[in-house]
Amino acid sequence: MSGTARAQLRQLARDPVLFVLLMAIAVSIAVFVIYPLIKVLLASFQVDGAWSFAGYAELAERKLYRNALINSLGVGALVGVIGVAIGFVNAFVLTRLDVPGKTLLHYLTILPIISPPFVSAVSILFLFGFNGLVTRQLLGLQDFSIYGFHGVVLSQVFTFAPIAYLSLRGVLASLSPTLEDAALNIGATRWQAFWKVSFPLALPGIASAFLVVFIESMADFGNPLVLAGAAFPMLAPQAYLEITGSFNLSRGATLAIVLLIPSMTAFAIQRYYLSKRQYITVTGKPTASTSKVVSPAAKWLLYGVALLFALLVTAFYAVILVGAFTKVWGFNYAPTIAHFLYVFDVGFESVKDTLVVALVTTPVSGLLGMLVAFLVVRRNFPGRTALEFGSILSFAVPGTVVGIGYIMAFNAPPLVLTGTLAILVACFVFRYVPVGIQSGIAVLRQIDPAIEEAAQNLGATGLTTFRKITLPLIAPAFFSGLVYAFVRAMTAISAAIFLVSANWNLMTVQILNQVGSGRLGVAAAFSVVVIVIVLVAIVIISSLVNRWSRHTSMVRF
């Protein structure tokens, strides 16, 4: 260990509580993030208990697995292109153009983010399934099948385009329209001003958004499991089927590693683009950000695209709501509350279990995210970069890989957690805390450390400084971390489906089971309950964080 590292450790050891917390966080990341991934990697090289490359050789030889890889990559790329195109248009319209109803359009656009990721698949079955409202009732089609490539792409675009929109919204809002005005003033056409000025400045953000959507598509589990069908295999559901259907843990692990490679590669590239974006800043930006590169005709055309997507979102959720109150979709449209009675009777245990998991996960994830951000930005210690990387690593790992890793890591001594509340909480905390960490880091880097140094000079410990000074200052990031943790705990499926048990079940798994059983009305009712709980929780969390932030500010000053 170098002299600098020893000096940093001695400095940190002067605050024993913070030092113990740092050690506990480092050990937790090693146990709940690194260790499961190592178990998956090792298992992929074992066949019948012996070390072998036969698993990978079999993947290359069997057409089923080759097709699963090709299909996943193809769908990911196409969903990335279409999702980013829709996200860019929506972000451009809502940040750069003067159009009516911006606030409503914004909330409609991001609505899919706060619902289970495969609600779109259920909506698509209601609309375009064999007894769908559009295909069977309106068009009278008898043999139309939504299953396969087109169904998966449609459901994933609907699910992940809002993520691209949120990513690009900040990028486009930060671009100064004066640059476009300057290009127009020296004779450039509107198209030239956009293509030569605006688009290059937004390109790193576009590339970053594409890679995020690509990662989400590759990792998606619910939509392909519902809509891909046997004729269109994909990696994530295939890995699940190998474990639960064929009971072949080694082959499932091998498929998980194959799924992990493109996701990790895209994540690494996305992080590179994100770091490059930090150097692209425009100062002196006017408060008004209305673009003149769009003609009136183009303006209303783009607005029409954004409006169409919002209408599709509305239609998808309306059909879920109607389907939840419909007796048998496609045959008997009589209104009923039987599906909700089932949810709060037979399915009530899963409702309760989901709420317990989410309520335990949310504060732990929120506080852990802010604490890690505080340590990474405000403290120097050996392994700081490794701690940051390890803490965000699980965000790049597909949920299927995480679920398989947790089965392998915690199904035998020294740490047996299978079937318990602890394994679900640990999975959700360490899988979704990276969003809070990155939000906290971004905010902390904008706050002058002299504020915290003043508190320490007056005798406050590092933990007291974090609790009474830092945490109130980063309340917005804390709120985003809490909301994200709660939403994902309520809506996650890809990792959770491997970890549920008779003692602890989740509503998302129930939704998937009901779809598999053909009980779409019950699946819709569960979906409505999840969405309502999430919306109520967001309002409550926002209110609590605002009240706490105001209270701590009054106490300090």
mmCIF file with all atom_site columns, all heavy atoms in Angstrom, residues 175-193:
data_model
loop_
_atom_site.group_PDB
_atom_site.id
_atom_site.type_symbol
_atom_site.label_atom_id
_atom_site.label_alt_id
_atom_site.label_comp_id
_atom_site.label_asym_id
_atom_site.label_entity_id
_atom_site.label_seq_id
_atom_site.pdbx_PDB_ins_code
_atom_site.Cartn_x
_atom_site.Cartn_y
_atom_site.Cartn_z
_atom_site.occupancy
_atom_site.B_iso_or_equiv
_atom_site.pdbx_formal_charge
_atom_site.auth_seq_id
_atom_site.auth_comp_id
_atom_site.auth_asym_id
_atom_site.auth_atom_id
_atom_site.pdbx_PDB_model_num
ATOM 1   N N   . LEU A 1 175 ? -29.600 22.966 -25.006 1.00 0.00 ? 175 LEU A N   1
ATOM 2   C CA  . LEU A 1 175 ? -29.024 23.558 -26.215 1.00 0.00 ? 175 LEU A CA  1
ATOM 3   C C   . LEU A 1 175 ? -29.569 24.969 -26.424 1.00 0.00 ? 175 LEU A C   1
ATOM 4   O O   . LEU A 1 175 ? -30.774 25.197 -26.405 1.00 0.00 ? 175 LEU A O   1
ATOM 5   C CB  . LEU A 1 175 ? -29.347 22.694 -27.440 1.00 0.00 ? 175 LEU A CB  1
ATOM 6   C CG  . LEU A 1 175 ? -28.783 21.275 -27.447 1.00 0.00 ? 175 LEU A CG  1
ATOM 7   C CD1 . LEU A 1 175 ? -29.151 20.570 -28.742 1.00 0.00 ? 175 LEU A CD1 1
ATOM 8   C CD2 . LEU A 1 175 ? -27.276 21.289 -27.267 1.00 0.00 ? 175 LEU A CD2 1
ATOM 9   N N   . SER A 1 176 ? -28.679 25.906 -26.653 1.00 0.00 ? 176 SER A N   1
ATOM 10  C CA  . SER A 1 176 ? -29.105 27.296 -26.836 1.00 0.00 ? 176 SER A CA  1
ATOM 11  C C   . SER A 1 176 ? -29.638 27.523 -28.244 1.00 0.00 ? 176 SER A C   1
ATOM 12  O O   . SER A 1 176 ? -28.969 27.202 -29.233 1.00 0.00 ? 176 SER A O   1
ATOM 13  C CB  . SER A 1 176 ? -27.929 28.241 -26.584 1.00 0.00 ? 176 SER A CB  1
ATOM 14  O OG  . SER A 1 176 ? -28.298 29.564 -26.915 1.00 0.00 ? 176 SER A OG  1
ATOM 15  N N   . PRO A 1 177 ? -30.845 28.086 -28.379 1.00 0.00 ? 177 PRO A N   1
ATOM 16  C CA  . PRO A 1 177 ? -31.380 28.379 -29.723 1.00 0.00 ? 177 PRO A CA  1
ATOM 17  C C   . PRO A 1 177 ? -30.622 29.493 -30.433 1.00 0.00 ? 177 PRO A C   1
ATOM 18  O O   . PRO A 1 177 ? -30.786 29.666 -31.644 1.00 0.00 ? 177 PRO A O   1
ATOM 19  C CB  . PRO A 1 177 ? -32.832 28.790 -29.427 1.00 0.00 ? 177 PRO A CB  1
ATOM 20  C CG  . PRO A 1 177 ? -32.808 29.273 -28.018 1.00 0.00 ? 177 PRO A CG  1
ATOM 21  C CD  . PRO A 1 177 ? -31.783 28.460 -27.315 1.00 0.00 ? 177 PRO A CD  1
ATOM 22  N N   . THR A 1 178 ? -29.787 30.235 -29.707 1.00 0.00 ? 178 THR A N   1
ATOM 23  C CA  . THR A 1 178 ? -29.035 31.316 -30.363 1.00 0.00 ? 178 THR A CA  1
ATOM 24  C C   . THR A 1 178 ? -28.052 30.762 -31.381 1.00 0.00 ? 178 THR A C   1
ATOM 25  O O   . THR A 1 178 ? -27.706 31.446 -32.353 1.00 0.00 ? 178 THR A O   1
ATOM 26  C CB  . THR A 1 178 ? -28.273 32.142 -29.321 1.00 0.00 ? 178 THR A CB  1
ATOM 27  O OG1 . THR A 1 178 ? -27.432 31.281 -28.548 1.00 0.00 ? 178 THR A OG1 1
ATOM 28  C CG2 . THR A 1 178 ? -29.241 32.853 -28.381 1.00 0.00 ? 178 THR A CG2 1
ATOM 29  N N   . LEU A 1 179 ? -27.582 29.526 -31.175 1.00 0.00 ? 179 LEU A N   1
ATOM 30  C CA  . LEU A 1 179 ? -26.686 28.916 -32.159 1.00 0.00 ? 179 LEU A CA  1
ATOM 31  C C   . LEU A 1 179 ? -27.415 28.659 -33.472 1.00 0.00 ? 179 LEU A C   1
ATOM 32  O O   . LEU A 1 179 ? -26.873 28.876 -34.552 1.00 0.00 ? 179 LEU A O   1
ATOM 33  C CB  . LEU A 1 179 ? -26.123 27.602 -31.604 1.00 0.00 ? 179 LEU A CB  1
ATOM 34  C CG  . LEU A 1 179 ? -25.285 27.711 -30.327 1.00 0.00 ? 179 LEU A CG  1
ATOM 35  C CD1 . LEU A 1 179 ? -24.922 26.321 -29.808 1.00 0.00 ? 179 LEU A CD1 1
ATOM 36  C CD2 . LEU A 1 179 ? -24.024 28.515 -30.604 1.00 0.00 ? 179 LEU A CD2 1
ATOM 37  N N   . GLU A 1 180 ? -28.666 28.194 -33.364 1.00 0.00 ? 180 GLU A N   1
ATOM 38  C CA  . GLU A 1 180 ? -29.466 27.997 -34.570 1.00 0.00 ? 180 GLU A CA  1
ATOM 39  C C   . GLU A 1 180 ? -29.774 29.338 -35.232 1.00 0.00 ? 180 GLU A C   1
ATOM 40  O O   . GLU A 1 180 ? -29.723 29.466 -36.467 1.00 0.00 ? 180 GLU A O   1
ATOM 41  C CB  . GLU A 1 180 ? -30.769 27.269 -34.206 1.00 0.00 ? 180 GLU A CB  1
ATOM 42  C CG  . GLU A 1 180 ? -30.567 25.895 -33.601 1.00 0.00 ? 180 GLU A CG  1
ATOM 43  C CD  . GLU A 1 180 ? -31.822 25.367 -32.942 1.00 0.00 ? 180 GLU A CD  1
ATOM 44  O OE1 . GLU A 1 180 ? -32.796 26.141 -32.822 1.00 0.00 ? 180 GLU A OE1 1
ATOM 45  O OE2 . GLU A 1 180 ? -31.839 24.184 -32.552 1.00 0.00 ? 180 GLU A OE2 1
ATOM 46  N N   . ASP A 1 181 ? -30.086 30.346 -34.409 1.00 0.00 ? 181 ASP A N   1
ATOM 47  C CA  . ASP A 1 181 ? -30.374 31.681 -34.950 1.00 0.00 ? 181 ASP A CA  1
ATOM 48  C C   . ASP A 1 181 ? -29.174 32.228 -35.718 1.00 0.00 ? 181 ASP A C   1
ATOM 49  O O   . ASP A 1 181 ? -29.333 32.837 -36.783 1.00 0.00 ? 181 ASP A O   1
ATOM 50  C CB  . ASP A 1 181 ? -30.746 32.642 -33.814 1.00 0.00 ? 181 ASP A CB  1
ATOM 51  C CG  . ASP A 1 181 ? -32.038 32.242 -33.111 1.00 0.00 ? 181 ASP A CG  1
ATOM 52  O OD1 . ASP A 1 181 ? -32.795 31.448 -33.710 1.00 0.00 ? 181 ASP A OD1 1
ATOM 53  O OD2 . ASP A 1 181 ? -32.270 32.711 -31.989 1.00 0.00 ? 181 ASP A OD2 1
ATOM 54  N N   . ALA A 1 182 ? -27.977 32.010 -35.174 1.00 0.00 ? 182 ALA A N   1
ATOM 55  C CA  . ALA A 1 182 ? -26.775 32.498 -35.847 1.00 0.00 ? 182 ALA A CA  1
ATOM 56  C C   . ALA A 1 182 ? -26.608 31.835 -37.209 1.00 0.00 ? 182 ALA A C   1
ATOM 57  O O   . ALA A 1 182 ? -26.248 32.501 -38.200 1.00 0.00 ? 182 ALA A O   1
ATOM 58  C CB  . ALA A 1 182 ? -25.550 32.232 -34.972 1.00 0.00 ? 182 ALA A CB  1
ATOM 59  N N   . ALA A 1 183 ? -26.871 30.521 -37.264 1.00 0.00 ? 183 ALA A N   1
ATOM 60  C CA  . ALA A 1 183 ? -26.759 29.817 -38.550 1.00 0.00 ? 183 ALA A CA  1
ATOM 61  C C   . ALA A 1 183 ? -27.786 30.334 -39.552 1.00 0.00 ? 183 ALA A C   1
ATOM 62  O O   . ALA A 1 183 ? -27.474 30.534 -40.737 1.00 0.00 ? 183 ALA A O   1
ATOM 63  C CB  . ALA A 1 183 ? -26.948 28.318 -38.329 1.00 0.00 ? 183 ALA A CB  1
ATOM 64  N N   . LEU A 1 184 ? -29.012 30.598 -39.085 1.00 0.00 ? 184 LEU A N   1
ATOM 65  C CA  . LEU A 1 184 ? -30.052 31.122 -39.973 1.00 0.00 ? 184 LEU A CA  1
ATOM 66  C C   . LEU A 1 184 ? -29.704 32.533 -40.452 1.00 0.00 ? 184 LEU A C   1
ATOM 67  O O   . LEU A 1 184 ? -29.961 32.894 -41.621 1.00 0.00 ? 184 LEU A O   1
ATOM 68  C CB  . LEU A 1 184 ? -31.400 31.137 -39.260 1.00 0.00 ? 184 LEU A CB  1
ATOM 69  C CG  . LEU A 1 184 ? -31.998 29.759 -38.903 1.00 0.00 ? 184 LEU A CG  1
ATOM 70  C CD1 . LEU A 1 184 ? -33.232 29.917 -38.024 1.00 0.00 ? 184 LEU A CD1 1
ATOM 71  C CD2 . LEU A 1 184 ? -32.363 28.991 -40.176 1.00 0.00 ? 184 LEU A CD2 1
ATOM 72  N N   . ASN A 1 185 ? -29.080 33.317 -39.579 1.00 0.00 ? 185 ASN A N   1
ATOM 73  C CA  . ASN A 1 185 ? -28.746 34.704 -39.939 1.00 0.00 ? 185 ASN A CA  1
ATOM 74  C C   . ASN A 1 185 ? -27.673 34.796 -41.020 1.00 0.00 ? 185 ASN A C   1
ATOM 75  O O   . ASN A 1 185 ? -27.590 35.802 -41.735 1.00 0.00 ? 185 ASN A O   1
ATOM 76  C CB  . ASN A 1 185 ? -28.275 35.473 -38.695 1.00 0.00 ? 185 ASN A CB  1
ATOM 77  C CG  . ASN A 1 185 ? -29.424 35.731 -37.725 1.00 0.00 ? 185 ASN A CG  1
ATOM 78  O OD1 . ASN A 1 185 ? -30.591 35.721 -38.118 1.00 0.00 ? 185 ASN A OD1 1
ATOM 79  N ND2 . ASN A 1 185 ? -29.095 35.954 -36.457 1.00 0.00 ? 185 ASN A ND2 1
ATOM 80  N N   . ILE A 1 186 ? -26.829 33.758 -41.129 1.00 0.00 ? 186 ILE A N   1
ATOM 81  C CA  . ILE A 1 186 ? -25.778 33.807 -42.161 1.00 0.00 ? 186 ILE A CA  1
ATOM 82  C C   . ILE A 1 186 ? -26.177 33.025 -43.406 1.00 0.00 ? 186 ILE A C   1
ATOM 83  O O   . ILE A 1 186 ? -25.338 32.712 -44.248 1.00 0.00 ? 186 ILE A O   1
ATOM 84  C CB  . ILE A 1 186 ? -24.438 33.274 -41.615 1.00 0.00 ? 186 ILE A CB  1
ATOM 85  C CG1 . ILE A 1 186 ? -24.576 31.816 -41.156 1.00 0.00 ? 186 ILE A CG1 1
ATOM 86  C CG2 . ILE A 1 186 ? -23.924 34.146 -40.490 1.00 0.00 ? 186 ILE A CG2 1
ATOM 87  C CD1 . ILE A 1 186 ? -23.247 31.191 -40.744 1.00 0.00 ? 186 ILE A CD1 1
ATOM 88  N N   . GLY A 1 187 ? -27.482 32.704 -43.528 1.00 0.00 ? 187 GLY A N   1
ATOM 89  C CA  . GLY A 1 187 ? -27.995 32.157 -44.777 1.00 0.00 ? 187 GLY A CA  1
ATOM 90  C C   . GLY A 1 187 ? -28.266 30.673 -44.805 1.00 0.00 ? 187 GLY A C   1
ATOM 91  O O   . GLY A 1 187 ? -28.641 30.140 -45.859 1.00 0.00 ? 187 GLY A O   1
ATOM 92  N N   . ALA A 1 188 ? -28.096 29.971 -43.709 1.00 0.00 ? 188 ALA A N   1
ATOM 93  C CA  . ALA A 1 188 ? -28.381 28.539 -43.692 1.00 0.00 ? 188 ALA A CA  1
ATOM 94  C C   . ALA A 1 188 ? -29.887 28.295 -43.756 1.00 0.00 ? 188 ALA A C   1
ATOM 95  O O   . ALA A 1 188 ? -30.686 29.090 -43.242 1.00 0.00 ? 188 ALA A O   1
ATOM 96  C CB  . ALA A 1 188 ? -27.813 27.905 -42.425 1.00 0.00 ? 188 ALA A CB  1
ATOM 97  N N   . THR A 1 189 ? -30.268 27.203 -44.424 1.00 0.00 ? 189 THR A N   1
ATOM 98  C CA  . THR A 1 189 ? -31.677 26.815 -44.421 1.00 0.00 ? 189 THR A CA  1
ATOM 99  C C   . THR A 1 189 ? -32.026 26.220 -43.055 1.00 0.00 ? 189 THR A C   1
ATOM 100 O O   . THR A 1 189 ? -31.133 25.911 -42.246 1.00 0.00 ? 189 THR A O   1
ATOM 101 C CB  . THR A 1 189 ? -31.967 25.769 -45.502 1.00 0.00 ? 189 THR A CB  1
ATOM 102 O OG1 . THR A 1 189 ? -31.224 24.565 -45.207 1.00 0.00 ? 189 THR A OG1 1
ATOM 103 C CG2 . THR A 1 189 ? -31.563 26.299 -46.881 1.00 0.00 ? 189 THR A CG2 1
ATOM 104 N N   . ARG A 1 190 ? -33.316 26.056 -42.820 1.00 0.00 ? 190 ARG A N   1
ATOM 105 C CA  . ARG A 1 190 ? -33.722 25.461 -41.544 1.00 0.00 ? 190 ARG A CA  1
ATOM 106 C C   . ARG A 1 190 ? -33.129 24.056 -41.382 1.00 0.00 ? 190 ARG A C   1
ATOM 107 O O   . ARG A 1 190 ? -32.657 23.690 -40.306 1.00 0.00 ? 190 ARG A O   1
ATOM 108 C CB  . ARG A 1 190 ? -35.253 25.397 -41.461 1.00 0.00 ? 190 ARG A CB  1
ATOM 109 C CG  . ARG A 1 190 ? -35.933 26.740 -41.211 1.00 0.00 ? 190 ARG A CG  1
ATOM 110 C CD  . ARG A 1 190 ? -37.407 26.517 -40.904 1.00 0.00 ? 190 ARG A CD  1
ATOM 111 N NE  . ARG A 1 190 ? -38.045 27.718 -40.436 1.00 0.00 ? 190 ARG A NE  1
ATOM 112 C CZ  . ARG A 1 190 ? -38.790 28.519 -41.195 1.00 0.00 ? 190 ARG A CZ  1
ATOM 113 N NH1 . ARG A 1 190 ? -38.954 28.235 -42.478 1.00 0.00 ? 190 ARG A NH1 1
ATOM 114 N NH2 . ARG A 1 190 ? -39.364 29.594 -40.687 1.00 0.00 ? 190 ARG A NH2 1
ATOM 115 N N   . TRP A 1 191 ? -33.164 23.260 -42.456 1.00 0.00 ? 191 TRP A N   1
ATOM 116 C CA  . TRP A 1 191 ? -32.629 21.909 -42.383 1.00 0.00 ? 191 TRP A CA  1
ATOM 117 C C   . TRP A 1 191 ? -31.124 21.928 -42.121 1.00 0.00 ? 191 TRP A C   1
ATOM 118 O O   . TRP A 1 191 ? -30.618 21.143 -41.318 1.00 0.00 ? 191 TRP A O   1
ATOM 119 C CB  . TRP A 1 191 ? -32.930 21.162 -43.680 1.00 0.00 ? 191 TRP A CB  1
ATOM 120 C CG  . TRP A 1 191 ? -32.264 19.816 -43.743 1.00 0.00 ? 191 TRP A CG  1
ATOM 121 C CD1 . TRP A 1 191 ? -31.232 19.427 -44.540 1.00 0.00 ? 191 TRP A CD1 1
ATOM 122 C CD2 . TRP A 1 191 ? -32.580 18.672 -42.935 1.00 0.00 ? 191 TRP A CD2 1
ATOM 123 N NE1 . TRP A 1 191 ? -30.878 18.136 -44.296 1.00 0.00 ? 191 TRP A NE1 1
ATOM 124 C CE2 . TRP A 1 191 ? -31.698 17.632 -43.316 1.00 0.00 ? 191 TRP A CE2 1
ATOM 125 C CE3 . TRP A 1 191 ? -33.520 18.422 -41.918 1.00 0.00 ? 191 TRP A CE3 1
ATOM 126 C CZ2 . TRP A 1 191 ? -31.728 16.370 -42.731 1.00 0.00 ? 191 TRP A CZ2 1
ATOM 127 C CZ3 . TRP A 1 191 ? -33.549 17.161 -41.350 1.00 0.00 ? 191 TRP A CZ3 1
ATOM 128 C CH2 . TRP A 1 191 ? -32.666 16.149 -41.748 1.00 0.00 ? 191 TRP A CH2 1
ATOM 129 N N   . GLN A 1 192 ? -30.398 22.832 -42.782 1.00 0.00 ? 192 GLN A N   1
ATOM 130 C CA  . GLN A 1 192 ? -28.962 22.935 -42.565 1.00 0.00 ? 192 GLN A CA  1
ATOM 131 C C   . GLN A 1 192 ? -28.641 23.353 -41.128 1.00 0.00 ? 192 GLN A C   1
ATOM 132 O O   . GLN A 1 192 ? -27.705 22.829 -40.512 1.00 0.00 ? 192 GLN A O   1
ATOM 133 C CB  . GLN A 1 192 ? -28.341 23.939 -43.553 1.00 0.00 ? 192 GLN A CB  1
ATOM 134 C CG  . GLN A 1 192 ? -28.283 23.434 -44.986 1.00 0.00 ? 192 GLN A CG  1
ATOM 135 C CD  . GLN A 1 192 ? -27.825 24.518 -45.940 1.00 0.00 ? 192 GLN A CD  1
ATOM 136 O OE1 . GLN A 1 192 ? -28.064 25.708 -45.710 1.00 0.00 ? 192 GLN A OE1 1
ATOM 137 N NE2 . GLN A 1 192 ? -27.188 24.115 -47.041 1.00 0.00 ? 192 GLN A NE2 1
ATOM 138 N N   . ALA A 1 193 ? -29.415 24.287 -40.596 1.00 0.00 ? 193 ALA A N   1
ATOM 139 C CA  . ALA A 1 193 ? -29.185 24.733 -39.222 1.00 0.00 ? 193 ALA A CA  1
ATOM 140 C C   . ALA A 1 193 ? -29.400 23.591 -38.238 1.00 0.00 ? 193 ALA A C   1
ATOM 141 O O   . ALA A 1 193 ? -28.634 23.422 -37.272 1.00 0.00 ? 193 ALA A O   1
ATOM 142 C CB  . ALA A 1 193 ? -30.112 25.902 -38.883 1.00 0.00 ? 193 ALA A CB  1
#
